[in-house]
Amino acid sequence: MLFSTFGIMGIIVVPVLILLFAAIFLSKQYKRCPSNQILVIYGSVGTGQSAKCIHGGGSFVIPLLQDYTYLSLEPLTIEIDLRSALSKKNIRVNVPSTFTVGISTTSNIMTNAAERLLGLSTGEISNQAQDIILGQMRLVIATLAIEEINQDREKFLDLVNKNVNLELNKIGLDVINVNIRDITDESGYIEAIGKKAAAEAINKAKVEVAEQDKDGAIGEANANKEKEVQVANQVAESEAGQKEAERNKRIRIAKYEAEGVTGEAAALREQEVAQAKQRAITEQGKKEALKEQRVFVAIQEAESVKGENESKANIAEYDATLKEKQADAAKRGEVALA
């Protein structure tokens, strides 16, 4: 009974333990890539591929069939002490410079790095890059005249950057920065060019100073002349203004006096006309009042006569009616008496 119980537990526990160990093993085979490194998986990674490069994220490494390692993305500073590089006009120049390079994160260039730099130390990588940079800088300098190298530094730096970067990409590196510290030559040609440019600049400055002094003197004389002319014009304009102001004052006074006399006469005339109009209106009003009074009196008299006539007619009609009634009453009395 006890043996069977242990047997059942063993049947359950063993598969669980196997699954647990398998899960732990598989989880250890999943490799994550830090941001400052490239994960390189090599072995059986696919037809036609020597390695699988991953920057960021992670990937599962198949046991026995695959293995992995990391490539650092930390920049490498390489000092280039280029001496006696032959330029286009056969003048040898010295171009000491500093290059900062690093492994590229571009897909195909990362593969180049995995193929050519995997397992190399930092010093070995720097030596390879240094040889490539020296060769390409000599090539670029050979295509340029000394004047182009010295005067158009931007063009020279751009050509160096392009050529060096193109060759470094072949081993998986990118140019991060280029710093040309100085450009000199063994014959002193660049120094002579600098002295010539300095002398020309000094002479040009002297000429410009003389021109400025001359222009200043002429400008000062012109300014004084313009000042005198402007002062004279201002004096003349001031006197003319005073005369014009006096004349305008006299004209305004005469105008105001004439307007006063005219206004006074017009006011008197308007007053007389207004008084005449008022008198005419008053007379007309009186006549109208008298006419209305006579008409009213005539109307009242006619109304009175009419009333008297109507009263008389009423009295006569009443007398006739009375007499008629009296005769009728007398007649009825006689009849009654008979």
PDB file of all heavy atoms in Angstrom, residues 160-183:
ATOM      1  N   VAL A 160      37.308  63.474 -46.740  1.00  0.00           N
ATOM      2  CA  VAL A 160      37.916  62.513 -45.816  1.00  0.00           C
ATOM      3  C   VAL A 160      36.836  61.668 -45.157  1.00  0.00           C
ATOM      4  O   VAL A 160      36.942  60.433 -45.053  1.00  0.00           O
ATOM      5  CB  VAL A 160      38.765  63.257 -44.762  1.00  0.00           C
ATOM      6  CG1 VAL A 160      39.182  62.309 -43.641  1.00  0.00           C
ATOM      7  CG2 VAL A 160      39.997  63.867 -45.411  1.00  0.00           C
ATOM      8  N   ASN A 161      35.785  62.332 -44.706  1.00  0.00           N
ATOM      9  CA  ASN A 161      34.695  61.626 -44.019  1.00  0.00           C
ATOM     10  C   ASN A 161      34.052  60.578 -44.927  1.00  0.00           C
ATOM     11  O   ASN A 161      33.823  59.431 -44.525  1.00  0.00           O
ATOM     12  CB  ASN A 161      33.656  62.646 -43.546  1.00  0.00           C
ATOM     13  CG  ASN A 161      32.843  62.129 -42.385  1.00  0.00           C
ATOM     14  OD1 ASN A 161      32.913  60.973 -42.033  1.00  0.00           O
ATOM     15  ND2 ASN A 161      32.067  63.004 -41.783  1.00  0.00           N
ATOM     16  N   LYS A 162      33.759  60.976 -46.180  1.00  0.00           N
ATOM     17  CA  LYS A 162      33.101  60.055 -47.110  1.00  0.00           C
ATOM     18  C   LYS A 162      33.990  58.851 -47.428  1.00  0.00           C
ATOM     19  O   LYS A 162      33.554  57.702 -47.353  1.00  0.00           O
ATOM     20  CB  LYS A 162      32.741  60.786 -48.402  1.00  0.00           C
ATOM     21  CG  LYS A 162      31.535  61.701 -48.281  1.00  0.00           C
ATOM     22  CD  LYS A 162      31.215  62.360 -49.616  1.00  0.00           C
ATOM     23  CE  LYS A 162      29.994  63.250 -49.501  1.00  0.00           C
ATOM     24  NZ  LYS A 162      29.699  63.929 -50.793  1.00  0.00           N
ATOM     25  N   ASN A 163      35.248  59.124 -47.811  1.00  0.00           N
ATOM     26  CA  ASN A 163      36.136  58.026 -48.222  1.00  0.00           C
ATOM     27  C   ASN A 163      36.444  57.091 -47.059  1.00  0.00           C
ATOM     28  O   ASN A 163      36.405  55.860 -47.215  1.00  0.00           O
ATOM     29  CB  ASN A 163      37.436  58.599 -48.797  1.00  0.00           C
ATOM     30  CG  ASN A 163      37.236  59.174 -50.180  1.00  0.00           C
ATOM     31  OD1 ASN A 163      36.136  59.551 -50.544  1.00  0.00           O
ATOM     32  ND2 ASN A 163      38.292  59.254 -50.966  1.00  0.00           N
ATOM     33  N   VAL A 164      36.758  57.666 -45.902  1.00  0.00           N
ATOM     34  CA  VAL A 164      37.103  56.832 -44.748  1.00  0.00           C
ATOM     35  C   VAL A 164      35.895  56.020 -44.307  1.00  0.00           C
ATOM     36  O   VAL A 164      36.010  54.813 -44.014  1.00  0.00           O
ATOM     37  CB  VAL A 164      37.637  57.712 -43.601  1.00  0.00           C
ATOM     38  CG1 VAL A 164      37.797  56.885 -42.321  1.00  0.00           C
ATOM     39  CG2 VAL A 164      38.971  58.325 -43.985  1.00  0.00           C
ATOM     40  N   ASN A 165      34.716  56.654 -44.262  1.00  0.00           N
ATOM     41  CA  ASN A 165      33.519  55.953 -43.808  1.00  0.00           C
ATOM     42  C   ASN A 165      33.165  54.795 -44.738  1.00  0.00           C
ATOM     43  O   ASN A 165      32.752  53.721 -44.296  1.00  0.00           O
ATOM     44  CB  ASN A 165      32.352  56.935 -43.710  1.00  0.00           C
ATOM     45  CG  ASN A 165      31.227  56.417 -42.838  1.00  0.00           C
ATOM     46  OD1 ASN A 165      31.456  55.998 -41.708  1.00  0.00           O
ATOM     47  ND2 ASN A 165      30.015  56.428 -43.363  1.00  0.00           N
ATOM     48  N   LEU A 166      33.345  55.023 -46.058  1.00  0.00           N
ATOM     49  CA  LEU A 166      33.032  53.976 -47.027  1.00  0.00           C
ATOM     50  C   LEU A 166      33.900  52.741 -46.792  1.00  0.00           C
ATOM     51  O   LEU A 166      33.418  51.599 -46.850  1.00  0.00           O
ATOM     52  CB  LEU A 166      33.236  54.519 -48.440  1.00  0.00           C
ATOM     53  CG  LEU A 166      32.852  53.580 -49.588  1.00  0.00           C
ATOM     54  CD1 LEU A 166      31.363  53.265 -49.547  1.00  0.00           C
ATOM     55  CD2 LEU A 166      33.224  54.205 -50.925  1.00  0.00           C
ATOM     56  N   GLU A 167      35.189  52.930 -46.501  1.00  0.00           N
ATOM     57  CA  GLU A 167      36.086  51.803 -46.283  1.00  0.00           C
ATOM     58  C   GLU A 167      35.882  51.164 -44.914  1.00  0.00           C
ATOM     59  O   GLU A 167      35.954  49.939 -44.771  1.00  0.00           O
ATOM     60  CB  GLU A 167      37.544  52.270 -46.434  1.00  0.00           C
ATOM     61  CG  GLU A 167      37.911  52.693 -47.848  1.00  0.00           C
ATOM     62  CD  GLU A 167      37.692  51.579 -48.859  1.00  0.00           C
ATOM     63  OE1 GLU A 167      38.108  50.436 -48.559  1.00  0.00           O
ATOM     64  OE2 GLU A 167      37.113  51.842 -49.927  1.00  0.00           O
ATOM     65  N   LEU A 168      35.589  51.993 -43.904  1.00  0.00           N
ATOM     66  CA  LEU A 168      35.367  51.431 -42.567  1.00  0.00           C
ATOM     67  C   LEU A 168      34.091  50.603 -42.517  1.00  0.00           C
ATOM     68  O   LEU A 168      33.989  49.648 -41.736  1.00  0.00           O
ATOM     69  CB  LEU A 168      35.305  52.553 -41.528  1.00  0.00           C
ATOM     70  CG  LEU A 168      36.634  53.237 -41.174  1.00  0.00           C
ATOM     71  CD1 LEU A 168      36.393  54.340 -40.148  1.00  0.00           C
ATOM     72  CD2 LEU A 168      37.654  52.245 -40.633  1.00  0.00           C
ATOM     73  N   ASN A 169      33.100  50.964 -43.327  1.00  0.00           N
ATOM     74  CA  ASN A 169      31.855  50.181 -43.363  1.00  0.00           C
ATOM     75  C   ASN A 169      32.110  48.731 -43.770  1.00  0.00           C
ATOM     76  O   ASN A 169      31.359  47.824 -43.390  1.00  0.00           O
ATOM     77  CB  ASN A 169      30.860  50.805 -44.337  1.00  0.00           C
ATOM     78  CG  ASN A 169      30.210  52.071 -43.800  1.00  0.00           C
ATOM     79  OD1 ASN A 169      29.601  52.810 -44.534  1.00  0.00           O
ATOM     80  ND2 ASN A 169      30.354  52.358 -42.520  1.00  0.00           N
ATOM     81  N   LYS A 170      33.172  48.521 -44.544  1.00  0.00           N
ATOM     82  CA  LYS A 170      33.464  47.171 -45.023  1.00  0.00           C
ATOM     83  C   LYS A 170      33.872  46.230 -43.882  1.00  0.00           C
ATOM     84  O   LYS A 170      33.752  45.013 -44.019  1.00  0.00           O
ATOM     85  CB  LYS A 170      34.562  47.221 -46.079  1.00  0.00           C
ATOM     86  CG  LYS A 170      34.143  47.947 -47.353  1.00  0.00           C
ATOM     87  CD  LYS A 170      35.287  48.019 -48.346  1.00  0.00           C
ATOM     88  CE  LYS A 170      34.863  48.762 -49.614  1.00  0.00           C
ATOM     89  NZ  LYS A 170      35.976  48.867 -50.589  1.00  0.00           N
ATOM     90  N   ILE A 171      34.381  46.801 -42.779  1.00  0.00           N
ATOM     91  CA  ILE A 171      34.722  45.952 -41.630  1.00  0.00           C
ATOM     92  C   ILE A 171      33.732  46.160 -40.479  1.00  0.00           C
ATOM     93  O   ILE A 171      33.978  45.682 -39.369  1.00  0.00           O
ATOM     94  CB  ILE A 171      36.169  46.210 -41.151  1.00  0.00           C
ATOM     95  CG1 ILE A 171      36.320  47.651 -40.644  1.00  0.00           C
ATOM     96  CG2 ILE A 171      37.177  45.919 -42.254  1.00  0.00           C
ATOM     97  CD1 ILE A 171      37.651  47.898 -39.957  1.00  0.00           C
ATOM     98  N   GLY A 172      32.633  46.914 -40.749  1.00  0.00           N
ATOM     99  CA  GLY A 172      31.571  47.060 -39.756  1.00  0.00           C
ATOM    100  C   GLY A 172      31.643  48.303 -38.894  1.00  0.00           C
ATOM    101  O   GLY A 172      30.916  48.412 -37.908  1.00  0.00           O
ATOM    102  N   LEU A 173      32.509  49.272 -39.257  1.00  0.00           N
ATOM    103  CA  LEU A 173      32.660  50.480 -38.451  1.00  0.00           C
ATOM    104  C   LEU A 173      32.028  51.681 -39.145  1.00  0.00           C
ATOM    105  O   LEU A 173      31.902  51.722 -40.370  1.00  0.00           O
ATOM    106  CB  LEU A 173      34.146  50.759 -38.183  1.00  0.00           C
ATOM    107  CG  LEU A 173      34.904  49.719 -37.356  1.00  0.00           C
ATOM    108  CD1 LEU A 173      36.372  50.097 -37.263  1.00  0.00           C
ATOM    109  CD2 LEU A 173      34.296  49.573 -35.959  1.00  0.00           C
ATOM    110  N   ASP A 174      31.657  52.692 -38.327  1.00  0.00           N
ATOM    111  CA  ASP A 174      31.139  53.969 -38.810  1.00  0.00           C
ATOM    112  C   ASP A 174      31.995  55.090 -38.243  1.00  0.00           C
ATOM    113  O   ASP A 174      32.452  55.006 -37.094  1.00  0.00           O
ATOM    114  CB  ASP A 174      29.689  54.187 -38.349  1.00  0.00           C
ATOM    115  CG  ASP A 174      28.697  53.897 -39.458  1.00  0.00           C
ATOM    116  OD1 ASP A 174      29.112  53.869 -40.626  1.00  0.00           O
ATOM    117  OD2 ASP A 174      27.517  53.682 -39.135  1.00  0.00           O
ATOM    118  N   VAL A 175      32.163  56.172 -39.037  1.00  0.00           N
ATOM    119  CA  VAL A 175      32.851  57.367 -38.535  1.00  0.00           C
ATOM    120  C   VAL A 175      31.847  58.199 -37.742  1.00  0.00           C
ATOM    121  O   VAL A 175      30.791  58.568 -38.257  1.00  0.00           O
ATOM    122  CB  VAL A 175      33.450  58.201 -39.680  1.00  0.00           C
ATOM    123  CG1 VAL A 175      34.035  59.499 -39.141  1.00  0.00           C
ATOM    124  CG2 VAL A 175      34.513  57.406 -40.405  1.00  0.00           C
ATOM    125  N   ILE A 176      32.172  58.464 -36.490  1.00  0.00           N
ATOM    126  CA  ILE A 176      31.300  59.290 -35.645  1.00  0.00           C
ATOM    127  C   ILE A 176      31.709  60.751 -35.711  1.00  0.00           C
ATOM    128  O   ILE A 176      30.874  61.639 -35.824  1.00  0.00           O
ATOM    129  CB  ILE A 176      31.338  58.780 -34.190  1.00  0.00           C
ATOM    130  CG1 ILE A 176      30.832  57.338 -34.121  1.00  0.00           C
ATOM    131  CG2 ILE A 176      30.503  59.679 -33.272  1.00  0.00           C
ATOM    132  CD1 ILE A 176      30.977  56.701 -32.758  1.00  0.00           C
ATOM    133  N   ASN A 177      33.019  61.013 -35.682  1.00  0.00           N
ATOM    134  CA  ASN A 177      33.491  62.398 -35.703  1.00  0.00           C
ATOM    135  C   ASN A 177      34.913  62.436 -36.243  1.00  0.00           C
ATOM    136  O   ASN A 177      35.698  61.499 -36.053  1.00  0.00           O
ATOM    137  CB  ASN A 177      33.453  62.994 -34.291  1.00  0.00           C
ATOM    138  CG  ASN A 177      33.874  64.454 -34.279  1.00  0.00           C
ATOM    139  OD1 ASN A 177      33.350  65.242 -35.047  1.00  0.00           O
ATOM    140  ND2 ASN A 177      34.834  64.801 -33.449  1.00  0.00           N
ATOM    141  N   VAL A 178      35.236  63.545 -36.939  1.00  0.00           N
ATOM    142  CA  VAL A 178      36.591  63.774 -37.444  1.00  0.00           C
ATOM    143  C   VAL A 178      37.034  65.159 -36.993  1.00  0.00           C
ATOM    144  O   VAL A 178      36.307  66.143 -37.187  1.00  0.00           O
ATOM    145  CB  VAL A 178      36.650  63.694 -38.984  1.00  0.00           C
ATOM    146  CG1 VAL A 178      38.073  63.935 -39.476  1.00  0.00           C
ATOM    147  CG2 VAL A 178      36.146  62.348 -39.472  1.00  0.00           C
ATOM    148  N   ASN A 179      38.215  65.240 -36.429  1.00  0.00           N
ATOM    149  CA  ASN A 179      38.759  66.516 -35.973  1.00  0.00           C
ATOM    150  C   ASN A 179      40.156  66.689 -36.554  1.00  0.00           C
ATOM    151  O   ASN A 179      41.102  66.009 -36.140  1.00  0.00           O
ATOM    152  CB  ASN A 179      38.800  66.554 -34.437  1.00  0.00           C
ATOM    153  CG  ASN A 179      39.353  67.871 -33.928  1.00  0.00           C
ATOM    154  OD1 ASN A 179      39.294  68.887 -34.615  1.00  0.00           O
ATOM    155  ND2 ASN A 179      39.923  67.863 -32.731  1.00  0.00           N
ATOM    156  N   ILE A 180      40.281  67.589 -37.547  1.00  0.00           N
ATOM    157  CA  ILE A 180      41.585  67.912 -38.131  1.00  0.00           C
ATOM    158  C   ILE A 180      42.233  68.970 -37.246  1.00  0.00           C
ATOM    159  O   ILE A 180      41.776  70.108 -37.180  1.00  0.00           O
ATOM    160  CB  ILE A 180      41.442  68.424 -39.578  1.00  0.00           C
ATOM    161  CG1 ILE A 180      40.664  67.421 -40.438  1.00  0.00           C
ATOM    162  CG2 ILE A 180      42.801  68.722 -40.178  1.00  0.00           C
ATOM    163  CD1 ILE A 180      41.338  66.105 -40.630  1.00  0.00           C
ATOM    164  N   ARG A 181      43.313  68.587 -36.571  1.00  0.00           N
ATOM    165  CA  ARG A 181      43.910  69.513 -35.602  1.00  0.00           C
ATOM    166  C   ARG A 181      44.707  70.620 -36.273  1.00  0.00           C
ATOM    167  O   ARG A 181      44.648  71.774 -35.856  1.00  0.00           O
ATOM    168  CB  ARG A 181      44.795  68.727 -34.633  1.00  0.00           C
ATOM    169  CG  ARG A 181      44.016  67.747 -33.751  1.00  0.00           C
ATOM    170  CD  ARG A 181      44.840  67.325 -32.553  1.00  0.00           C
ATOM    171  NE  ARG A 181      46.052  66.628 -32.938  1.00  0.00           N
ATOM    172  CZ  ARG A 181      46.127  65.310 -33.149  1.00  0.00           C
ATOM    173  NH1 ARG A 181      45.021  64.566 -33.044  1.00  0.00           N
ATOM    174  NH2 ARG A 181      47.273  64.727 -33.485  1.00  0.00           N
ATOM    175  N   ASP A 182      45.448  70.279 -37.321  1.00  0.00           N
ATOM    176  CA  ASP A 182      46.288  71.288 -37.964  1.00  0.00           C
ATOM    177  C   ASP A 182      46.714  70.768 -39.333  1.00  0.00           C
ATOM    178  O   ASP A 182      46.713  69.560 -39.585  1.00  0.00           O
ATOM    179  CB  ASP A 182      47.519  71.594 -37.104  1.00  0.00           C
ATOM    180  CG  ASP A 182      48.222  72.862 -37.561  1.00  0.00           C
ATOM    181  OD1 ASP A 182      47.622  73.600 -38.367  1.00  0.00           O
ATOM    182  OD2 ASP A 182      49.366  73.100 -37.126  1.00  0.00           O
ATOM    183  N   ILE A 183      47.094  71.686 -40.215  1.00  0.00           N
ATOM    184  CA  ILE A 183      47.619  71.324 -41.531  1.00  0.00           C
ATOM    185  C   ILE A 183      48.896  72.134 -41.749  1.00  0.00           C
ATOM    186  O   ILE A 183      48.861  73.374 -41.788  1.00  0.00           O
ATOM    187  CB  ILE A 183      46.603  71.612 -42.651  1.00  0.00           C
ATOM    188  CG1 ILE A 183      45.331  70.781 -42.450  1.00  0.00           C
ATOM    189  CG2 ILE A 183      47.208  71.300 -44.017  1.00  0.00           C
ATOM    190  CD1 ILE A 183      44.239  71.073 -43.458  1.00  0.00           C
TER     191      ILE A 183
END
